[in-house]
Amino acid sequence: MDAQAQIKETVTSNKVVLYMKGSPKFPQCGFSNLATQILAACNVQYVAVDVLQDQAIREGIKQYANWPTIPQLYVNGEFLGGSDIMRAMYESGELQALLAEAA
């Protein structure tokens, strides 16, 4: 399975997916750390994909969403954005509502 097919399979078969650098327990960049903290504050279960483990996924996810940076959050197969967008949505309450609806 090529990277695009693998990414599509992951984001469409899981309610909440975070593509990040590192893991939720050991984020490897500040933006990924912020993203995991926001999701923890929302008390939501999610699938984390460490892009540092697979170069094809790391490059492929940027093409998949046409978004140049990581982390990337997907809810119900839809791309929401990176950590800055997640923070803004969290502060407005929009993210919590969206995640509650997805759960």
Side-chain angles (χ1 to χ4, degrees), residues 4-97:
Q4 294 297 311
Q6 193 176 341
I7 292 165
K8 183 175 184 175
E9 169 69 23
T10 302
V11 300
T12 56
S13 62
N14 297 284
K15 291 186 182 298
V16 183
V17 181
L18 179 67
Y19 283 83
M20 63 179 292
K21 293 179 180 174
S23 68
K25 289 192 187 309
F26 298 105
Q28 298 297 307
C29 83
F31 299 109
S32 290
N33 186 40
L34 175 61
T36 60
Q37 288 179 352
I38 290 169
L39 291 174
C42 293
N43 197 27
V44 65
Q45 296 280 345
Y46 63 96
V47 172
V49 178
D50 180 0
V51 299
L52 300 177
Q53 300 298 316
D54 187 334
Q55 187 63 31
I57 296 294
R58 184 176 184 173
E59 292 307 314
I61 195 64
K62 296 174 186 178
Q63 296 164 357
Y64 184 82
N66 196 23
W67 190 261
T69 59
I70 295 163
Q72 293 185 12
L73 180 66
Y74 293 81
V75 177
N76 288 331
E78 183 181 334
F79 173 62
L80 292 188
S83 58
D84 291 345
I85 293 169
M86 289 174 66
R87 181 189 336 207
M89 290 177 73
Y90 177 77
E91 288 171 353
S92 73
E94 188 181 353
L95 184 61
Q96 296 90 318

